[in-house]
Amino acid sequence: MPASFQLRLLFVCLGNICRSPAAEIVCRAALNKAGLAERVMVDSCGTASYHVGSKPDARMLAALQRAGYSYGGHRGRQLRKSDGESFDLIIPQDEENLDDVQRLLRGCKAQIRPMSVWFPQESELREVPDPYYGDSADFDSVVLLLEQSMPQLMAYVNERLSE
Ligand code: 4NP
């Protein structure tokens, strides 16, 4: 990891093929737009091992493409204990992911904050819904929710960078 990164973010979901790789891609685009890509590192992983080494789900990639994003080559990997030391902020996508991360990384250095912290104020959702058993509209909704969360997340990133 280049020493130039001042903040390291890790998005976490269950399989690391739908929500967290989408969050990684949408966040990287937001960081690029904000001129922060050289200062903030982003990655994603899953709590489960089912999809280690896999590309993101084709339905997620299609939804991202519809929204104007391109896939950067991420392959599925599983959360490891050392992530709690090598990242500054770990962002579970749903409440089960949050419980799992808190249990697996108990006492870690990283701060753990659920994605819902940055949802738009008007959202009634408490987590990023799992689209795996859904249809293409569910995948589009995940991308939209992540996009709508980026202004709040970028504001938080800026705060952390100015500490
Ligand atoms: P993700 O979605 O956690 O957003 O990557 C899922 C991926 C795989 C499965 C469930 C959810 N699965 O049951 O294999």
Side-chain angles (χ1 to χ4, degrees), residues 13-20 50-51 130-133:
C13 62
L14 176 66
N16 193 211
I17 55 167
C18 299
R19 293 163 293 174
S20 63
Y50 327 127
H51 301 286
D130 183 353
Y132 191 69
Y133 295 103

Side-chain angles (χ1 to χ4, degrees), residues 105-138:
L105 303 185
R106 181 159 293 131
C108 71
K109 191 181 98 209
Q111 189 174 32
I112 302 168
R113 289 203 157 188
M115 191 73 212
S116 57
V117 165
W118 296 288
F119 285 178
Q121 236 172 13
E122 63 276 14
S123 175
E124 284 170 8
L125 293 170
R126 296 177 57 195
E127 58 183 15
V128 182
D130 183 353
Y132 191 69
Y133 295 103
D135 59 18
S136 64
D138 297 306

